[in-house]
Amino acid sequence: AFRVAAAAARHRAVGDEGLATLRHCVETAATVAELGARADVVAAALMHKALEGGAFDSEGLRERVPDATAEMVEGATKLSDIAALSRASDRAMSEDERLRLRAMLLAATDARVVIIELANRLDDVRRASVTSLGSSDVASADAARSLAEETMATYVPLASRLGVWGLKSKLEDACFAVAHPERHAELG
């Protein structure tokens, strides 16, 4: 699994982007492992970016890993695509749209894949927090706040519905750090 993730990251490598992608995949997998997930789920989390960027297609991935693991990677890729489409519009989602997205995420795949997506989102928000804190770029800070708001509105309730309380708490904390960095530092 690590070789597949590393090959995919190398394929994306432009400057530090490949290394950042690999770190992100390792963090996502570590979060899933902390939840006590089975080895195949952790492996799928580690490879969740393998189908992005053209390093592997579904067939190439299936030649390297068991079908069940490849199916989880494919599912995680689809969930990431759905989430990216929801962020692609320049307007905030309505409450009704958020509820439909949440329902679609739950119905689209099995719970293991949703947990991989939740762990992926946790690392995304944490990276956005670090990036926005170290930047004077208003657009970067606004993008980080938007990501945190979407996470609070869609992903935190999803984690709650799945009963993944530790991950829910980590998502809330990461979102709070983005939305209220001064208060978070005071409470830290």
Side-chain angles (χ1 to χ4, degrees):
F2 186 80
R3 287 188 179 133
V4 169
R10 256 193 324 275
H11 184 77
R12 297 171 64 131
V14 176
D16 290 334
E17 184 180 336
L19 185 55
T21 298
L22 184 58
R23 281 186 184 138
H24 167 71
C25 292
V26 168
E27 288 296 325
T28 300
T31 298
V32 171
E34 287 172 6
L35 296 172
R38 292 188 337 231
D40 60 336
V41 182
V42 175
L46 185 60
M47 296 182 290
H48 79 277
K49 295 283 188 190
L51 297 177
E52 297 176 15
F56 295 98
D57 59 10
S58 292
E59 187 177 307
L61 183 63
R62 286 177 184 276
E63 291 171 359
R64 290 167 177 80
V65 300
D67 283 348
T69 304
E71 287 173 14
M72 283 186 275
V73 173
E74 291 165 352
T77 300
K78 288 176 188 170
L79 287 185
S80 290
D81 290 347
I82 291 169
L85 285 174
S86 74
R87 285 192 305 275
S89 78
D90 289 336
R91 64 175 183 75
M93 286 192 294
S94 70
E95 183 61 27
D96 187 51
E97 289 170 322
R98 286 184 186 131
L99 289 171
R100 283 196 314 253
L101 176 60
R102 208 177 311 147
M104 189 174 9
L105 290 173
L106 273 175
T109 190
D110 70 39
R112 299 171 302 174
V113 176
V114 176
I115 289 170
I116 291 169
E117 179 61 20
L118 291 170
N120 174 47
R121 180 52 71 108
L122 175 62
D123 191 61
D124 288 345
V125 175
R126 284 177 172 165
R127 285 185 300 128
S129 175
V130 169
T131 302
S132 68
L133 290 176
S135 173
S136 60
D137 181 12
V138 175
S140 175
D142 287 346
R145 275 191 293 281
S146 177
L147 182 69
E149 288 169 9
E150 178 185 321
T151 301
M152 283 298 296
T154 304
Y155 291 82
V156 168
L158 194 56
S160 179
R161 186 155 181 191
L162 288 174
V164 192
W165 309 115
L167 191 50
K168 175 186 179 280
S169 176
K170 288 177 183 180
L171 284 163
E172 288 172 327
D173 188 56
C175 291
F176 186 76
V178 170
H180 308 285
E182 297 84 17
R183 291 275 318 199
H184 188 265
E186 288 174 14
L187 296 171

